[in-house]
C-alpha cells in the first residue's frame, strides 16, 4: 500500500457555542479545531502508514478558515496535507463536500485507502465517508474499530447487532472509523514544531476535474434555532420518604407511573 | 399522484414505523426488504404497495446492498428513500444517496414535503441547536430516528405486490469472516418505556444492585452514560445513552448520579418526563429535568424504591 | 507587539490541556494526601511528552530544549489540574539543563539515561536551617581531598523532592565571602552520610519537601557541577525561569477554581436571584480575574525576556510576588462564594489554596522578589545590605 488519505473537517469548538434565553445562538470569536472523530481517522491512518511504510496524507475542504487547520492536522502524524478552499464551501452539504473530496483524492493520486471519521463534531451528519466511496466507485466499510493489514488484505473489526464482526477486504477501500477505535497520540514538541514545515497544498474547486453541475449544494439551511430545554424544572430537596413521595405523585400525575 | 417514497431498514422490524413516516409524505409507499418472503408480506400488510424483496447473501456487510437499493430507487422513480437511523442504516443511506446524486437529511426530527420539495429539521452542535433545511435535489434520502413514528398496524386485508430483485451483494469485495457474539444482553434501551440511567455519581460497580432494584420496581431497564460503558465497562456498549450512543424516547428517564452534560442528554432529551437525581444542585441535569432531586442518591434511591413498592 | 501565542504555542497548549484533563486532573483530591515525592505522576507526565527535555536522544531524552514560552504554558496547564504535577515536571527540566550545561561527561553518561526517562529523580538542596533568602550565607562545607574528591557536610532545609535519588547541592568550598564561595555538586542520595526527613506540609504534599543532612559524604570530582565557586550564577538562572513558572502554576490553579465559581454563581440563588447578578460577586470576580490576567502577562513577559537572552530578574520577581498573591486571594474569594460547602472537601478550592500558599515562601519569598525587583527598578540604594565584593582570597 503506497498512500493512505485521511479526511478531516475544521469545525467550531462546540464549547464556544452557547444559546441565550431567547434561543439565539451565540458564538463570540469561536475557536476552531480538527473535528473530534476525525482525529481518530488521522491516528488510524498514521498508525497504518507507520506499520506498512506507506505515506499518510491529510485532506480537508472548506472556506478560508480551513487553511488554519494545517499545523493541527499535520502535527498529528500525516506527512503532507491538502485543502480545497472556497468561501462557497462554508455552507456545503455532505453531497457537495464528498464530491469535492473525492475529486481531490483522484487528483492527489496513488491512494488505495481513504479513512474518515464517523461524523463531524458540528453537524454530525455521518455521511461524507460513505459518499466518498460512492463518488470514487470504491467499496465502503463503516464504523471500524480496528484495521490491520495482512499482505494484500485488510482485516477489519467492527460492532454489529449480533456481536463483533470480523471482516476481510481488499484495496481500494473507504473506511470510516468509530470514535473508540483508538486514542489519538499526544503530539510531542518535535511534532508541533515540525508541522509547519510539512508540505500543505491548497486548491480551489476549479482546479479539480469537476463540472459546474457537480459542484452543487444538495441542501439549503433555512434557519438555525438554539435549543433551550423546555422542562418543568421542579426542584425537590431532600432524600427521604417525603421527597420520594413527592416525586412519585408528580410522575403519577404525568401519567408515566401507576 | 405524487411520486413513490421508498423505505428501507436492515432490521425488518423497523419497517412499519418507516411506512407511517413515508405515508405522511406520499400516498404511494413501497418498501425495500432484504430478507424473507415473510418479511415482504409484513411490509405489505403494514401498507406498502410494493415490497422489493432482495435476497440475503450470507456473510456480506449491509454496505454491499447499497448499489441494489440505489437501482431500485432509480427504477421506481421514487422521490425519496427513508431509512432507519441505525449505524448500518445511516451508512447505507449516505452511500445510496451519493449514488443517486441525492441530498440526505440525517437523524431528522421532523420531515415534511411541500409542493414536491422536502424539508426537515435536525439537531446540530451536539444538541445545542436545531437546523431547518430544505432539499434541492431530485431525489431525497433521510434517516429517521427509531420510535419517531407509530409503527403502522399490520392489516392482512392490505394488498400489494412482491417484486423479487436480484442483489449485487455477492460480488462485494468485503466479506464477513466471523461474528463473535457479544456477552448476551437482552436489554434494549431504545425500546424500553422507562429507563434508569447510571452516571458517574454512582461510585462503585458494587452499587449497581440498588439501581437494578429501582429499575425493576418501576418497570424499567438500566442504561448508562458514556464513561460507565466505555471507560469503566460496567455495562456493554449498547447500553450507553448519548450523542454517539443510543438515542432513546422513553416515557420516563431517571438519571441517577448523571451530571447532565449535553452529550448525554442529547440522547435522552426526547423523553416524555425526565427525573434527575444528583447531590450537586448546580449539575446541568437540573436544567433538563422535569423533576430534579437534589439529594445523595445513596439515600434517595432506597427511599424511592420503598415509596414505589408501597404504592 | 504581539500579544498572541504563536501557532505552535497554541497547539502545544491545546494538546496539553486535553492531555492534562485526561491524565493528571482525575484523582487530584485523593492524591493530595500523599506524603513524599509522588512518582506515580511521572508516567502520565511522560505520556504527555513532558519528560526528557534538554537530555540528548541517546540518553532517552527528547533532544530538544523546551522553549521558554512553552515552559510557561506547561506550568500553567499543569497548575490548572495539580500544582504538584507542575513542579515535579519543572524540576526535571531544571535538572537536565543544569547537568547538561555544567555536569561532566561522566556524570551525564552515568545519570542521564535514568533521569531523562523519569526512572530516577533529582532534588534541590540550597536553603539551610540557618538561612533561606540569604543564599550567600550557605554553611554546608565541602573540603577538597588529595584524590580530588570532596567531603561534604551540612544540613539542608526546604529541599524539594527530598526522597529523590540524587540532589543538586549548593556547598561552600571557598573562603570568598557570600555567594562567591559557593559551588554546586551532584550528590547521590544513597551515600552513607545522607539522611532525609519529610516535613508535614499543609499543601503541595506530593512533592516531598523536607530536610537533608549530609555527614562527611565523599563526592567524587566528576560530580562537581561547573567551576568551583561558580555556583551562584546557575542558581540564580534557575530562579529566573522558576519564578515566573511558579506564578503561572498558581495562576492556573486560581483560574480553575474561578471557572468552577463562575459556573456555580450562575446556578446558585439567594433572595430570589442568581448570585451572578449581585455586584459583590461580579465585581469581586472581575477584580481578581484582572489581577490574574496581569500577572499572567508579566510572567510570560519574563519568559519572553529570557528567550531573548535578556535580563529578566525584575519581571520574574514581579510575576512571582504579584501572581502568587493574586492567586491566593482569588482562590480565597471563590472559596467564600461557594458558601459553607467551600469549607469542605466537596470543592477543590481549599486544596488549591493550601497548595498555592506554599509559594509565599517557595523559590523566592514574595519579599525577596520585591527586593530584587525594587533593586532592578530603582537602583542599588534600595537594597537592605551592601553587596559584598569578591576578594582575592585563595581557596584551599
Amino acid at each position: 500500500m503506497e498512500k493512505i488519505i485521511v479526511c478531516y473537517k475544521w469545525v467550531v469548538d462546540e464549547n464556544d457555542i452557547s444559546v441565550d434565553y431567547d434561543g439565539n445562538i451565540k458564538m463570540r470569536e469561536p475557536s476552531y479545531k480538527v473535528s473530534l472523530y476525525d482525529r481518530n481517522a488521522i491516528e488510524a491512518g498514521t498508525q497504518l502508514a507507520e506499520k506498512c511504510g506507506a505515506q499518510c496524507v491529510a485532506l480537508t475542504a472548506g472556506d478560508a478558515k480551513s487553511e488554519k487547520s494545517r499545523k493541527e492536522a499535520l502535527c498529528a502524524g500525516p506527512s503532507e496535507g491538502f485543502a480545497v478552499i472556497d468561501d462557497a464551501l462554508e455552507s456545503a452539504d455532505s453531497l457537495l463536500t464528498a464530491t469535492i473530496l473525492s475529486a481531490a483524492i483522484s487528483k492527489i493520486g496513488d491512494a488505495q485507502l481513504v479513512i474518515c471519521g464517523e461524523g463531524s463534531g458540528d453537524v454530525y451528519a455521518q455521511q461524507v465517508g460513505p459518499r466518498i466511496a460512492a463518488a470514487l466507485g470504491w467499496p465502503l466499510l463503516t464504523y471500524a474499530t480496528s484495521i490491520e493489514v495482512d499482505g494484500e488484505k485488510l482485516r477489519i473489526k467492527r460492532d454489529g447487532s449480533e456481536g463483533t464482526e470480523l471482516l476481510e477486504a481488499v484495496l481500494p477501500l473507504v473506511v470510516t472509523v468509530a470514535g473508540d477505535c483508538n486514542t489519538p497520540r499526544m503530539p510531542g514538541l518535535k511534532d508541533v514544531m515540525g508541522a509547519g514545515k510539512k508540505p500543505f497544498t491548497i486548491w480551489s474547486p476549479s482546479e479539480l476535474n469537476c463540472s459546474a453541475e457537480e459542484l452543487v449544494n444538495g441542501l439549503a439551511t433555512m434557519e438555525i434555532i438554539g435549543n433551550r430545554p423546555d422542562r418543568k424544572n421542579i426542584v425537590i430537596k431532600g432524600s427521604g420518604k417525603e421527597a420520594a413521595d413527592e416525586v412519585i405523585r408528580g410522575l403519577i400525575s404525568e401519567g408515566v407511573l401507576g | 399522484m405524487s411520486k413513490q417514497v421508498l423505505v428501507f431498514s436492515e432490521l425488518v422490524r423497523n419497517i412499519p414505523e418507516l411506512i407511517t413516516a413515508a405515508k405522511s409524505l406520499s400516498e404511494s409507499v413501497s418498501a425495500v426488504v432484504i430478507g424473507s418472503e415473510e418479511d415482504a408480506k409484513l411490509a405489505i400488510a403494514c401498507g406498502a404497495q410494493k415490497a422489493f424483496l432482495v435476497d440475503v447473501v450470507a456473510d456480506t456487510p449491509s454496505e454491499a446492498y447499497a448499489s441494489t437499493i440505489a437501482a431500485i430507487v432509480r427504477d421506481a422513480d421514487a422521490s425519496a428513500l427513508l431509512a432507519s437511523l441505525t449505524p448500518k442504516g445511516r451508512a447505507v443511506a449516505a452511500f445510496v444517496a451519493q449514488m443517486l446524486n441525492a441530498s440526505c437529511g440525517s437523524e431528522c426530527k421532523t420531515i415534511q414535503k411541500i409542493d414536491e420539495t422536502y424539508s426537515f429539521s435536525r439537531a446540530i452542535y451536539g444538541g445545542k441547536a436545531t437546523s431547518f433545511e430544505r432539499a434541492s435535489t431530485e431525489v431525497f434520502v433521510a434517516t429517521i430516528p427509531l420510535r419517531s413514528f407509530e409503527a403502522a398496524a399490520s392489516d392482512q386485508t392490505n394488498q400489494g405486490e412482491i417484486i423479487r430483485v436480484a442483489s449485487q451483494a455477492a460480488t462485494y469485495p468485503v466479506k464477513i469472516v466471523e461474528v463473535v457474539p457479544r456477552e448476551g444482553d437482552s436489554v434494549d434501551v431504545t425500546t424500553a418505556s422507562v429507563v434508569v440511567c447510571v452516571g458517574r455519581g454512582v461510585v462503585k460497580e458494587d452499587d449497581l444492585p440498588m439501581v437494578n432494584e429501582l429499575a425493576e420496581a418501576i418497570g424499567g431497564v438500566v442504561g448508562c452514560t458514556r464513561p460507565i460503558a466505555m471507560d469503566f465497562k460496567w455495562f456493554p456498549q449498547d447500553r450507553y445513552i448519548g450523542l454517539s450512543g443510543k438515542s432513546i424516547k422513553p416515557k420516563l428517564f431517571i438519571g441517577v448520579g448523571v451530571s447532565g452534560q449535553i452529550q448525554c442528554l442529547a440522547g435522552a432529551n426526547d423523553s416524555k418526563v425526565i427525573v434527575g437525581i444528583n447531590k450537586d444542585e448546580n449539575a446541568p441535569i437540573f436544567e433538563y429535568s422535569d423533576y430534579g432531586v437534589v439529594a445523595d442518591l445513596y439515600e434517595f434511591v432506597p427511599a424511592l424504591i420503598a415509596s414505589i413498592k408501597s404504592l | 507587539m504581539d500579544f498572541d501565542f504563536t501557532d505552535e504555542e497554541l497547539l502545544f497548549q491545546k494538546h496539553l490541556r486535553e492531555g492534562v484533563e485526561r491524565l493528571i486532573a482525575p484523582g487530584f483530591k485523593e492524591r493530595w494526601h500523599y506524603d513524599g515525592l509522588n512518582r506515580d505522576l511521572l508516567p502520565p507526565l511522560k505520556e504527555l511528552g513532558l519528560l526528557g527535555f534538554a537530555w540528548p536522544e541517546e540518553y532517552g531524552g527528547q533532544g530538544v530544549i523546551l522553549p521558554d514560552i512553552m515552559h510557561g504554558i506547561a506550568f500553567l496547564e499543569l497548575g490548572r489540574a495539580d500544582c504538584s504535577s507542575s513542579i515535579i515536571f519543572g524540576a526535571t527540566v531544571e535538572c537536565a539543563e543544569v547537568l547538561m550545561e555544567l555536569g561532566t561527561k561522566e556524570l551525564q553518561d552515568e545519570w542521564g539515561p535514568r533521569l531523562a526517562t523519569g526512572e530516577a529523580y533529582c532534588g534541590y538542596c540550597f536553603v539551610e536551617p540557618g538561612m533561606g533568602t540569604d543564599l550567600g550565607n550557605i554553611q554546608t562545607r565541602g573540603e577538597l581531598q588529595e584524590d580530588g574528591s570532596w567531603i561534604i557536610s551540612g544540613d539542608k532545609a526546604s529541599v524539594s523532592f527530598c526522597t529523590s535519588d540524587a540532589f543538586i547541592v549548593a556547598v561552600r568550598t571557598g573562603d570568598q565571602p557570600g555567594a562567591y564561595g559557593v559551588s554546586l555538586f551532584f550528590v547521590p542520595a544513597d551515600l552513607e552520610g545522607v539522611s532525609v526527613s519529610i516535613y508535614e506540609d499543609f499543601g503541595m504534599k506530593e512533592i516531598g519537601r523536607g530536610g537533608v543532612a549530609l555527614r562527611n559524604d565523599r563526592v567524587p570530582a566528576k560530580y562537581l557541577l561547573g567551576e568551583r565557586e561558580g555556583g551562584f550564577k546557575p542558581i540564580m538562572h534557575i530562579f529566573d525561569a522558576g519564578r515566573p513558572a511558579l506564578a503561572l502554576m498558581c495562576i492556573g490553579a486560581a483560574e480553575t477554581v474561578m471557572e468552577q465559581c463562575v459556573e456555580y454563581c450562575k446556578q446558585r440563588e439567594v433572595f430570589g436571584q442568581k448570585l451572578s447578578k449581585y455586584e459583590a460577586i461580579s465585581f469581586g470576580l472581575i477584580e481578581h480575574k484582572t489581577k490574574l490576567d496581569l500577572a499572567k502577562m508579566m510572567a510570560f513577559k519574563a519568559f519572553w525576556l529570557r528567550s531573548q537572552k535578556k535580563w529578566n530578574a525584575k519581571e520574574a520577581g514581579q510575576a512571582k510576588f504579584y501572581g502568587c498573591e493574586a492567586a491566593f486571594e482569588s482562590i480565597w474569594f471563590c472559596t467564600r462564594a461557594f458558601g459553607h460547602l467551600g469549607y469542605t472537601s466537596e470543592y477543590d478550592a481549599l486544596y488549591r489554596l493550601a497548595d498555592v500558599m506554599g509559594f509565599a515562601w517557595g523559590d523566592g519569598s514574595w519579599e525577596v522578589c520585591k527586593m530584587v525587583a525594587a533593586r532592578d527598578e530603582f537602583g542599588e540604594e534600595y537594597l537592605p545590605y551592601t553587596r559584598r565584593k569578591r576578594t582575592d582570597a585563595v581557596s584551599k
Side-chain angles (χ1 to χ4, degrees):
Chain A
M1 180 160 45
E2 206 187 300
K3 203 180 279 188
I4 301 170
I5 295 185
V6 294
C7 297
Y8 70 91
K9 188 176 181 187
W10 189 238
V11 298
V12 172
D13 186 339
E14 64 272 7
N15 292 320
D16 290 342
I17 302 174
S18 59
V19 179
D20 70 13
Y21 287 110
D22 299 318
N24 298 313
I25 311 272
K26 281 154 21 144
M27 274 195 248
R28 194 163 50 96
E29 285 183 38
S31 53
Y32 285 77
K33 58 181 187 177
V34 170
S35 174
L36 185 65
Y37 296 129
D38 294 344
R39 294 173 58 188
N40 299 111
I42 294 176
E43 176 65 25
T46 302
Q47 281 184 21
L48 269 175
E50 282 166 353
K51 286 199 187 117
C52 310
Q55 196 196 0
C56 179
V57 169
L59 170 64
T60 191
D63 66 3
K65 293 193 282 292
S66 297
E67 289 184 43
K68 299 241 165 76
S69 68
R70 169 190 194 152
K71 289 178 185 176
E72 190 167 323
L74 294 177
C75 81
S79 57
E80 192 178 353
F82 292 84
V84 182
I85 304 290
D86 191 287
D87 281 340
L89 294 178
E90 201 210 344
S91 54
D93 75 329
S94 308
L95 171 65
L96 176 56
T97 304
T99 304
I100 296 249
L101 288 176
S102 50
I105 289 167
S106 302
K107 191 174 164 93
I108 293 170
D110 300 324
Q112 294 89 8
L113 181 62
V114 172
I115 305 181
C116 298
E118 62 174 69
S120 67
D122 49 359
V123 298
Y124 204 54
Q126 302 191 314
Q127 294 182 29
V128 169
R131 284 182 176 275
I132 289 177
L136 292 172
W138 290 8
L140 166 73
L141 203 60
T142 54
Y143 301 104
T145 51
S146 90
I147 308 173
E148 272 167 31
V149 174
D150 180 6
E152 292 296 308
K153 295 205 185 84
L154 288 176
R155 292 198 190 284
I156 296 175
K157 278 191 198 158
R158 69 176 185 183
D159 290 321
S161 42
E162 314 295 312
T164 305
E165 289 175 0
L166 307 176
L167 302 109
E168 220 173 72
V170 291
L171 300 170
L173 185 67
V174 174
V175 181
T176 72
V177 290
D180 48 4
C181 74
N182 58 40
T183 303
R185 67 191 61 186
M186 179 86 194
L189 183 63
K190 282 197 176 152
D191 300 313
V192 169
M193 302 306 287
K197 304 189 182 104
K198 295 178 179 173
F200 192 75
T201 309
I202 297 181
W203 287 325
S204 68
S206 57
E207 292 177 72
L208 308 170
N209 275 331
C210 293
S211 64
E213 296 89 59
E214 282 177 285
L215 294 180
V216 136
N217 234 330
L219 293 172
T221 301
M222 313 312 305
E223 202 183 359
I224 295 180
I225 296 185
N227 292 333
R228 292 295 311 173
D230 182 21
R231 295 276 169 187
K232 288 201 167 81
N233 297 140
I234 297 171
V235 175
I236 295 154
K237 294 195 180 186
S239 54
K241 183 174 185 312
E242 238 181 76
D245 286 341
E246 198 184 329
V247 170
I248 296 204
R249 275 196 298 278
L251 296 181
I252 292 176
S253 73
E254 303 274 358
V256 297
L257 197 62
Chain B
M1 169 83 161
S2 50
K3 286 190 176 186
Q4 274 192 85
V5 171
L6 261 50
V7 304
F8 154 74
S9 176
E10 86 281 6
L11 291 173
V12 169
R13 65 171 186 256
N14 294 333
I15 291 187
E17 55 189 77
L18 288 173
I19 290 179
T20 307
K23 292 254 174 168
S24 73
L25 303 170
S26 167
E27 325 83 67
S28 172
V29 171
S30 296
V32 175
V33 178
I34 301 176
S36 65
E37 197 166 325
E38 292 306 307
D39 300 327
K41 285 185 177 156
L42 172 63
I44 291 182
C46 290
Q49 282 149 0
K50 296 193 182 107
F52 295 96
L53 179 53
V54 178
D55 41 303
V56 177
V57 177
D59 304 328
T60 48
S62 318
E63 291 90 335
Y65 297 92
S67 51
T68 312
I69 299 169
I72 294 172
V73 173
R74 229 179 263 126
D75 292 341
D77 194 25
S79 66
L81 171 71
L82 304 187
S84 256
L85 188 71
T86 57
K88 303 242 167 98
R90 284 173 169 129
V92 171
F95 203 14
V96 169
Q98 191 78 6
M99 291 173 185
L100 297 169
N101 239 343
S103 55
C104 178
S106 293
E107 211 163 344
C108 299
K109 267 184 171 170
T110 63
I111 180 169
Q112 54 256 45
K113 186 176 74 163
I114 302 172
D115 293 334
E116 304 309 309
T117 300
Y118 287 96
S119 57
F120 61 96
S121 70
R122 63 183 301 268
I124 57 170
Y125 299 148
K128 285 186 186 170
T130 301
S131 169
F132 294 84
E133 300 177 38
R134 200 169 58 202
S136 56
T137 51
E138 234 186 272
V139 179
F140 175 63
V141 177
T143 51
I144 311 286
L146 299 174
R147 320 292 153 246
S148 299
F149 289 85
E150 285 288 313
S154 170
D155 180 353
Q156 292 304 319
T157 63
N158 278 330
Q159 302 280 8
E161 204 189 330
I162 297 182
I163 302 172
R164 299 200 100 94
V165 179
S167 81
Q168 300 150 26
T171 56
Y172 201 65
V174 184
K175 293 270 175 272
I176 299 176
V177 162
E178 199 189 331
V179 178
V180 176
R182 224 173 277 130
E183 300 100 58
D185 193 20
S186 54
V187 168
D188 185 352
V189 291
T190 62
T191 54
S193 63
V194 178
V195 175
V196 177
C197 182
V198 173
R200 287 178 67 167
V202 176
V203 176
K204 313 189 289 297
E205 201 172 351
D206 295 339
D207 298 333
L208 290 179
M210 174 180 70
V211 179
N212 290 332
E213 210 191 323
L214 173 61
E216 213 171 323
I218 208 165
V221 303
V222 179
C224 63
T225 57
R226 191 190 158 105
I228 304 286
M230 310 304 272
D231 298 332
F232 303 158
K233 306 213 190 311
W234 294 352
F235 288 100
Q237 211 179 317
D238 58 6
R239 298 267 203 126
Y240 126 56
I241 296 153
L243 188 63
S244 53
K246 293 283 184 286
S247 274
I248 61 174
K249 258 176 99 142
K251 276 187 319 186
L252 175 58
F253 174 89
I254 304 181
V256 177
V258 171
S259 63
Q261 301 302 326
I262 186 80
Q263 292 84 349
C264 166
L265 267 310
N269 240 335
D270 290 331
S271 311
K272 181 162 185 243
V273 175
I274 293 182
V275 174
I277 305 169
N278 198 302
K279 64 180 175 177
D280 178 6
E281 65 190 318
N282 300 304
I285 192 164
F286 292 121
E287 224 184 302
Y288 297 92
S289 299
D290 295 295
Y291 297 89
V293 185
V294 182
D296 182 340
L297 68 94
Y298 289 94
E299 286 171 26
F300 186 72
V301 170
L304 190 59
I305 293 172
S307 292
I308 294 170
K309 287 192 168 158
S310 68
L311 275 178
Chain C
M1 286 174 83
D2 184 348
F3 281 74
D4 269 333
F5 286 143
T6 62
D7 290 341
E8 285 74 10
E9 286 157 2
L10 277 170
L11 266 183
F12 179 74
Q13 181 180 41
K14 209 178 200 176
H15 285 110
L16 200 51
R17 181 161 297 201
E18 259 182 44
V20 166
E21 188 59 41
R22 186 168 52 92
L23 297 171
I24 307 276
F28 161 67
K29 278 194 251 180
E30 289 75 33
R31 282 202 308 272
W32 191 86
H33 300 282
Y34 205 85
D35 249 325
L37 169 62
N38 189 351
R39 294 182 193 237
D40 289 343
L41 281 171
L42 289 167
L45 286 173
K46 188 163 188 191
E47 204 182 318
L48 288 171
L50 292 177
L51 293 190
F53 286 117
W55 290 110
E57 275 175 312
E58 64 255 33
Y59 293 157
Q62 294 204 36
V64 276
I65 299 214
L66 181 63
D68 284 293
I69 299 289
M70 289 180 176
H71 191 147
I73 290 173
F75 264 80
L76 179 69
E77 294 300 322
L78 287 167
R80 284 177 58 90
D82 180 349
C83 290
S84 296
S85 71
S86 201
I87 307 234
I88 290 174
F89 147 72
T92 65
V93 177
E94 283 170 11
C95 166
E97 289 183 358
V98 168
L99 294 193
M100 284 308 293
E101 200 185 306
L102 302 175
T104 59
K105 186 76 170 58
E106 286 163 286
L107 168 59
Q108 291 167 359
D109 286 342
E110 198 185 318
W111 281 86
R114 277 180 287 165
L115 289 167
T117 56
E119 211 189 297
Y121 203 84
C122 182
Y124 299 84
C125 299
F126 299 146
V127 163
E128 292 176 357
M131 44 61 53
T133 295
D134 189 7
L135 273 181
N137 211 4
I138 281 173
Q139 300 300 316
T140 300
R141 284 216 68 98
E143 305 286 346
L144 183 59
Q145 308 301 297
E146 270 184 34
D147 62 357
S149 69
W150 297 80
I151 300 283
I152 298 181
S153 282
D155 289 287
K156 290 298 189 184
S158 191
V159 173
S160 321
F161 325 105
C162 69
T163 52
S164 297
D165 306 287
F167 301 102
I168 291 174
V169 187
V171 177
R172 179 170 301 286
T173 52
D175 286 328
Q176 296 93 328
Y180 297 114
V182 171
S183 302
L184 284 184
F185 285 89
F186 181 86
V187 180
D190 60 0
L191 295 181
E192 229 184 280
V194 173
S195 61
V196 153
S197 61
I198 306 178
Y199 297 158
E200 260 192 67
D201 275 341
F202 271 77
M204 298 300 293
K205 297 161 89 55
E206 296 175 83
I207 68 169
R209 198 173 72 102
V212 173
L214 301 136
R215 296 286 177 266
N216 300 313
D217 286 297
R218 181 179 293 272
V219 169
K222 63 181 176 175
Y223 285 172
L224 172 64
L225 298 172
E227 299 288 308
R228 53 176 294 180
E229 288 96 52
F232 210 63
K233 267 185 76 183
I235 299 176
M236 289 300 107
H237 190 58
I238 289 176
F239 288 148
D240 291 339
R243 285 178 186 169
L246 294 174
L248 287 169
M249 175 194 74
C250 294
I251 291 166
E255 283 189 343
T256 298
V257 175
M258 184 171 284
E259 280 162 23
Q260 293 166 353
C261 186
V262 165
E263 284 313 303
Y264 174 84
C265 295
K266 285 188 208 169
Q267 309 289 343
R268 175 80 179 183
E269 276 190 19
V270 73
F271 296 121
Q273 277 237 79
K274 305 282 184 197
L275 275 187
S276 58
K277 300 282 183 198
Y278 292 97
E279 282 161 357
I281 295 291
S282 63
F283 284 13
L285 284 173
I286 195 58
E287 282 164 13
H288 287 293
K289 184 64 167 57
T290 303
K291 292 184 187 170
L292 293 175
D293 286 345
L294 289 171
K296 205 196 283 191
M297 276 196 261
M298 184 60 85
F300 277 114
K301 183 175 180 191
F303 270 115
W304 177 80
L305 285 165
R306 192 170 189 262
S307 72
Q308 305 295 306
K309 308 269 186 270
K310 291 187 180 178
W311 185 254
N312 78 339
K314 176 185 88 166
E315 287 81 0
Q318 286 175 301
K320 175 130 200 282
F321 78 72
Y322 192 75
C324 294
E325 191 163 13
F328 173 84
E329 287 176 350
S330 75
I331 296 176
W332 176 224
F333 178 83
C334 294
T335 307
R336 294 185 343 264
F338 286 128
H340 71 88
L341 281 179
Y343 200 35
T344 70
S345 60
E346 271 296 301
Y347 288 94
D348 277 9
L350 280 179
Y351 293 81
R352 305 307 198 116
L353 193 65
D355 279 352
V356 153
M357 246 191 246
F359 299 94
W361 303 277
D363 269 36
S365 61
W366 298 350
E367 291 66 33
V368 76
C369 290
K370 290 177 189 176
M371 246 168 65
V372 166
R375 171 205 70 201
D376 270 12
E377 179 68 26
F378 306 128
E380 298 270 329
E381 294 86 340
Y382 281 81
L383 275 183
Y385 54 83
T386 323
R387 298 247 245 185
R388 296 170 199 138
K389 293 215 166 35
R390 184 188 272 279
T391 66
D392 293 330
V394 169
S395 332
K396 286 196 274 282

